[in-house]
Amino acid sequence: MKEFYFLIIGFILGLAFYPLIKNYLLNKITDKFTDNKKVQQDILKEIYKSNKENNILTIDILHKKINIPISNLLKILSKLISLNYVYLSDNDIRLTNKGKEEAKDIINKHRLLESYLFEKTSTKLKDIHKIADKKEHLFNEEQIGIIKNELSNPCIDPHGDILDENILDENITSFSKVITLGYCQENEIYIVKHIEDEPAEIYEHLVNLDLAPFDKIKIIKINKDYISIINDKGKKIDIVHFYANNVFVSKMEKNEKLQNYFDFLLNHEIITLDKLKLRNPGLIIGLSFYIRGIQRQRLMELGFIKGNVVIPMYNNSISDDPRAYKIKNSIISLRTEQASKIYVLDLLSLNNINQEKIKELINV
């Protein structure tokens, strides 16, 4: 009789907990599938990168890059070969055309997700790459289309990479002239094309220096310890050579107007808005690249654009933060965190220089 009662109780408990058990098993199966898919796509990306750089990629080298047991790696490689994604050529692992297209697709998804996290979320910059790397395998084409529409079909990711790897391949000659900052020459002007996001510690340091993709920079001085530059917002930055290897630039053509602009920046002190004295008019030289998404759009709509004049009117009576600024006949409240990313020229520091001439000079 006891056995019968236990059987009935077991049956009732099974019915009660069936949805939980079902979900648990499904999640386990899904996790296993996702992990396998992630590893396969990570392997394809690694092979693509190696092939693109014309490096030899043996199984031993790939094993060091992909942190899984060698037996699992061999099984996955065997599967990728059977799917016509990969082939071996004299112990060098290569992608087929089908494999290249698959690798490009996942790289494009990764860059798009980085752009979304950069523009639409408050994710810390140092975490964006890691999160995109984890989530890139989970999105289908319909979801990717929705993200593209929400971002108005962006072309560049937060590190300066073109979102469509196929476009990069088609224009490979224009990117062959890209060099690292360490190979630059003094007194020449360059544009930052890409900032490598790994290792994360170096990337975070470069971000804290406010060095960003699309910055125009002039090399002031190079010595054995560091490279001294000034960017087009007037910020002077010293970068040690080890970190300079993570910054990729392209030399700009000779341009007298741009040269005159940098000469002007070098001869005048550019400060951030939070450092501008009360009641002193400041000419906006530029906004940091790292003012992101909706915040950037709001500031620009309020008038915080290059060439406009802003005046600090008064501080918060208790903490000096936020601070009130006058711009285009409106009073706007900004916190130090925002104001410290807006670069200005104190107009009262100038000696008999026409403001309109300055605006014309900085309009490059």
Side-chain angles (χ1 to χ4, degrees):
M1 198 68 176
K2 285 183 180 180
E3 289 81 0
F4 177 74
Y5 285 130
F6 282 131
L7 186 62
I8 294 296
I9 292 170
F11 179 73
I12 293 172
L13 289 173
L15 287 176
F17 287 100
Y18 172 72
L20 294 176
I21 296 170
K22 178 184 175 183
N23 286 338
Y24 174 78
L25 292 173
L26 283 174
N27 286 336
K28 280 292 183 184
I29 294 170
T30 302
D31 287 346
K32 185 175 181 181
F33 169 77
T34 302
D35 288 344
N36 286 339
K37 182 180 178 182
K38 180 183 186 307
V39 174
Q40 286 179 29
Q41 292 182 339
D42 285 345
I43 288 172
L44 288 175
K45 285 197 302 179
E46 244 353 293
I47 301 172
Y48 179 82
K49 181 181 178 181
S50 178
N51 289 178
K52 190 172 181 179
E53 294 172 356
N54 292 319
N55 294 329
I56 298 294
L57 184 67
T58 64
I59 291 175
D60 286 339
I61 294 173
L62 182 60
H63 182 230
K64 291 175 183 177
K65 293 176 179 288
I66 303 292
N67 188 26
I68 61 172
I70 187 67
S71 57
N72 290 12
L73 175 61
L74 292 173
K75 287 178 183 177
I76 293 173
L77 282 175
S78 177
K79 182 177 180 180
L80 292 175
I81 290 171
S82 70
L83 292 170
N84 194 31
Y85 284 146
V86 171
Y87 68 95
L88 289 176
S89 175
D90 297 328
N91 203 31
D92 182 21
I93 307 172
R94 312 291 297 180
L95 290 179
T96 63
N97 288 334
K98 182 180 178 182
K100 287 178 185 176
E101 292 305 312
E102 182 70 15
K104 287 178 186 178
D105 182 63
I106 195 63
I107 289 169
N108 292 342
K109 285 180 180 178
H110 177 94
R111 292 174 180 168
L112 182 67
L113 290 175
E114 286 189 326
S115 297
Y116 181 85
L117 292 168
F118 183 82
E119 292 291 345
K120 299 294 185 180
T121 74
S122 58
T123 304
K124 292 180 180 178
L125 289 168
K126 67 183 181 67
D127 295 331
I128 284 177
H129 175 76
K130 189 189 302 181
I131 294 172
D133 194 56
K134 184 177 180 181
K135 300 293 184 182
E136 65 195 19
H137 315 276
L138 306 177
F139 288 82
N140 58 37
E141 293 306 314
E142 182 181 355
Q143 292 167 321
I144 289 298
I146 292 171
I147 294 173
K148 283 183 179 178
N149 288 335
E150 190 168 346
L151 293 175
S152 301
N153 293 304
C155 298
I156 304 290
D157 78 358
H159 312 296
D161 287 324
I162 292 178
L163 282 177
D164 190 342
E165 187 71 9
N166 289 308
I167 294 176
L168 186 60
D169 283 349
E170 291 167 6
N171 294 275
I172 194 68
T173 53
S174 65
F175 288 88
S176 61
K177 297 179 181 178
V178 173
I179 58 175
T180 60
L181 191 58
Y183 288 95
C184 293
Q185 298 173 317
E186 288 185 1
N187 298 316
E188 296 290 348
I189 298 174
Y190 299 82
I191 184 167
V192 178
K193 290 288 190 178
H194 172 77
I195 296 182
E196 187 61 43
D197 53 12
E198 291 182 320
E201 296 77 15
I202 293 179
Y203 177 64
E204 186 176 14
H205 176 76
L206 293 171
V207 167
N208 289 336
L209 291 176
D210 207 13
L211 186 64
F214 319 115
D215 277 357
K216 298 180 183 72
I217 61 172
K218 181 173 182 177
I219 311 298
I220 302 172
K221 181 181 179 181
I222 301 174
N223 63 28
K224 63 182 180 65
D225 297 317
Y226 61 85
I227 301 168
S228 181
I229 69 171
I230 183 170
N231 68 13
D232 53 4
K233 291 177 281 292
K235 182 171 183 181
K236 295 175 183 176
I237 304 171
D238 291 333
I239 306 174
V240 298
H241 287 276
F242 181 70
Y243 288 175
N245 291 330
N246 279 40
V247 182
F248 294 82
V249 301
S250 181
K251 189 175 180 179
M252 299 191 69
E253 293 182 2
K254 296 289 184 182
N255 182 319
E256 185 179 355
K257 191 173 182 181
L258 188 60
Q259 187 65 56
N260 290 338
Y261 173 61
F262 273 105
D263 290 343
F264 176 82
L265 294 178
L266 283 166
N267 290 318
H268 295 84
E269 184 182 6
I270 308 300
I271 58 176
T272 51
L273 184 55
D274 59 309
K275 300 292 194 301
L276 188 61
K277 292 180 181 178
L278 287 177
R279 306 289 173 169
N280 280 21
L283 184 71
I284 298 175
I285 301 297
L287 275 62
S288 167
F289 174 81
Y290 299 110
I291 296 178
R292 299 155 54 186
I294 295 174
Q295 185 184 65
R296 188 182 193 87
Q297 182 181 340
R298 173 180 173 271
L299 287 173
M300 294 182 73
E301 288 173 351
L302 291 171
F304 288 89
I305 57 177
K306 190 174 186 176
N308 280 352
V309 175
V310 58
I311 304 172
M313 299 303 293
Y314 49 85
N315 294 329
N316 182 302
S317 59
I318 299 174
S319 64
D320 293 343
D321 192 22
R323 202 182 193 197
Y325 298 91
K326 183 179 180 181
I327 187 165
K328 296 179 67 175
N329 297 317
S330 297
I331 301 296
I332 308 297
S333 176
L334 294 181
R335 294 198 172 275
T336 300
E337 183 183 2
Q338 296 169 300
S340 65
K341 291 183 174 66
I342 301 171
Y343 293 89
V344 298
L345 170 67
D346 186 346
L347 291 175
L348 294 187
S349 68
L350 301 178
N351 295 319
N352 301 320
I353 301 180
N354 184 283
Q355 186 173 315
E356 291 306 314
K357 285 186 177 180
I358 297 174
K359 286 186 179 182
E360 183 181 345
L361 180 66
I362 69 173
N363 187 27
V364 292

